[in-house]
Amino acid sequence: MKREPRHVVVDGEPLVALTDHDLENLLAMRRQLGAQGVRLRSVRDALADLTDFVEELGDALAEEGRSDDLDGLLADLPERVRRARRVAGGRGAKVRNEP
C-alpha cells in the first residue's frame, strides 16, 4: 500500500518531504529515464536513416539507367540494416537459404 506524501511548508513554499529511500528511488528513476531518452533518440535516428535509404533505393529502382546508383545502394544495404538492428535491439541477421 502506498504511503501518502508528507506535505510541509518552508518559508511559505509548499513542499513534499521525501525519505532518503524515496529520494534515492526518484533519482534512480530520473537516471533511467535519461538513458531511455538517449536510446530513443538513437532508435529514431536509425529509423530516419533507414527510411531515407529505402526511399533512395526505391527511387533508384524506379528510374532507368541508374544502375551505378542502384549498385552503390545495394552494396550499402547490409551495413544500414545491421546498424538499425543494433540500435533497435532487433533480431539477428536472417539466415538465407542459398540455392
Side-chain angles (χ1 to χ4, degrees):
M1 183 178 208
K2 290 187 176 184
R3 301 183 307 266
E4 289 295 317
R6 183 174 161 205
H7 297 274
V8 295
V9 177
V10 176
D11 294 332
E13 182 84 24
L15 303 171
V16 175
L18 298 175
T19 64
D20 287 341
H21 182 262
D22 289 342
L23 179 59
E24 288 302 319
N25 285 342
L26 180 62
L27 293 174
M29 283 189 269
R30 286 186 64 185
R31 286 189 298 271
Q32 290 172 357
L33 183 60
Q36 288 175 356
V38 169
R39 179 160 168 70
L40 182 59
R41 282 189 293 280
S42 295
V43 170
R44 183 196 62 213
D45 291 347
L47 179 60
D49 179 58
L50 197 54
T51 302
D52 291 344
F53 177 78
V54 169
E55 187 175 36
E56 289 176 41
L57 184 59
D59 290 346
L61 288 170
E63 294 183 24
E64 292 183 36
R66 294 185 63 183
S67 62
D68 291 341
D69 290 343
L70 183 57
D71 290 343
L73 289 169
L74 289 174
D76 198 26
L77 180 62
E79 179 55 33
R80 300 267 185 134
V81 170
R82 274 193 295 278
R83 177 178 180 261
R85 285 189 181 188
R86 184 176 60 245
V87 170
R91 303 176 309 272
K94 292 181 181 178
V95 175
R96 290 185 180 183
N97 294 327
E98 297 293 328

